[in-house]
Amino acid sequence: MAPLPNAELVQNSLQLYRYLLRCCKQLPKENIRQHYRHAIRQSFKVHADEDDPERIQQIIKRAIEDADWVMNK
């Protein structure tokens, strides 16, 4: 399963959040979708106070790579 197109256009945390939730919609089983939606929400809560732009870009890059891995799993 390929990731959604336009991952390279993700520039901020809200765009990343939406991108990841759209990726979840492509997963085959509801329990798997629920698991990853919960994980996405938890990660955003953990990183909500992050204010270093460089660190935010690192988090975005890693999240997209992880989404790629999950979608191809």
Side-chain angles (χ1 to χ4, degrees):
M1 202 177 294
L4 292 176
N6 301 325
E8 67 278 356
L9 299 178
V10 174
Q11 297 296 315
N12 61 47
S13 56
L14 181 58
Q15 290 173 340
L16 176 64
Y17 187 74
R18 289 177 179 163
Y19 173 82
L20 294 174
L21 290 178
R22 283 192 303 267
C23 285
C24 282
K25 289 181 181 180
Q26 294 185 345
L27 294 172
K29 294 184 180 180
E30 181 59 29
N31 62 339
I32 296 171
R33 288 191 294 268
Q34 287 177 354
H35 169 78
Y36 283 108
R37 279 194 305 259
H38 178 73
I40 291 165
R41 288 184 184 113
Q42 290 302 103
S43 293
F44 273 82
K45 288 178 185 177
V46 168
H47 297 292
D49 60 346
E50 189 65 58
D51 58 358
D52 179 19
E54 187 175 312
R55 176 69 178 131
I56 292 170
Q57 288 305 311
Q58 289 174 345
I59 292 169
I60 289 171
K61 183 178 182 282
R62 178 60 191 252
I64 291 172
E65 289 171 357
D66 289 349
D68 248 356
W69 181 82
V70 168
M71 299 301 286
N72 291 320
K73 189 165 107 170

